[in-house]
Amino acid sequence: MGVDVCWDPATEQPPARQAAFRSMTAVTAGDKSAWLALFAGDAVVEDPIGPSMFDEEGKGHHGQDGISAFWDKTIANVERFQFTIRDSHAAGDEVANVGTITTYLPGGYRVDTDGVFVYRVREDGLIVSMRAFWETERAMATARKADE
């Protein structure tokens, strides 16, 4: 299982794009430790932005403990991920990736989540912010049997 991206990760890329690629790779591999190691101690994950079933107050998941709990609540419950990045815009210490995350869920279902996924890194390349812009209702409307 690999990450389906439209840029060549073997060529020189901006640090935020590299961090985003490493994040997707760790998620695809189901490697929580590798994923957590990509984040600064004071990082924030907002996935999705605002109140959701994953973050009722909409304030994000803060620090290593909060981000670890986010993994356990969301990523750990998915059987397989496929990332399709259709475009990527790097500027300064951030990158905005436009694409679809396909999640394969227990019971043989899959969901496609279209969105914009923004990563900001600090000077050492660690992620300080990951913000995902996607709509829950729109994603849930794509739920179907995995073989469809």
Side-chain angles (χ1 to χ4, degrees):
M1 289 181 238
V3 177
D4 184 12
V5 295
C6 62
W7 67 81
D8 179 0
T11 62
E12 186 66 30
Q13 296 293 330
R17 187 174 287 141
Q18 291 177 25
F21 181 80
R22 289 184 190 112
S23 174
M24 291 181 280
T25 300
V27 167
T28 301
D31 191 340
K32 180 181 178 181
S33 296
W35 189 69
L36 289 174
L38 298 171
F39 290 89
D42 60 349
V44 178
V45 169
E46 296 173 88
D47 186 356
I49 301 291
S52 73
M53 60 189 158
F54 306 129
D55 179 11
E56 291 181 14
E57 293 183 22
K59 296 181 179 181
H61 309 276
H62 296 258
Q64 289 288 317
D65 290 343
I67 295 169
S68 177
F70 171 77
W71 174 288
D72 294 341
K73 190 178 206 180
T74 60
I75 298 169
N77 297 312
V78 174
E79 291 180 349
R80 182 167 67 96
F81 286 87
Q82 178 181 340
F83 293 85
T84 303
I85 304 302
R86 289 183 297 282
D87 211 344
S88 180
H89 306 277
D93 60 358
E94 297 188 67
V95 67
N97 294 323
V98 180
T100 302
I101 301 172
T102 301
T103 52
Y104 294 83
L105 306 170
Y109 286 89
R110 72 186 240 188
V111 173
D112 295 322
T113 303
D114 292 327
V116 178
F117 310 95
V118 180
Y119 295 77
R120 184 167 50 92
V121 296
R122 62 185 194 192
E123 217 171 88
D124 62 4
L126 290 177
I127 300 167
V128 294
S129 173
M130 196 286 280
R131 303 179 77 219
F133 295 82
W134 59 273
E135 299 172 40
T136 305
E137 296 80 19
R138 187 170 161 178
M140 296 312 293
T142 71
R144 64 201 179 281
K145 285 299 230 179
D147 55 2
E148 293 179 9

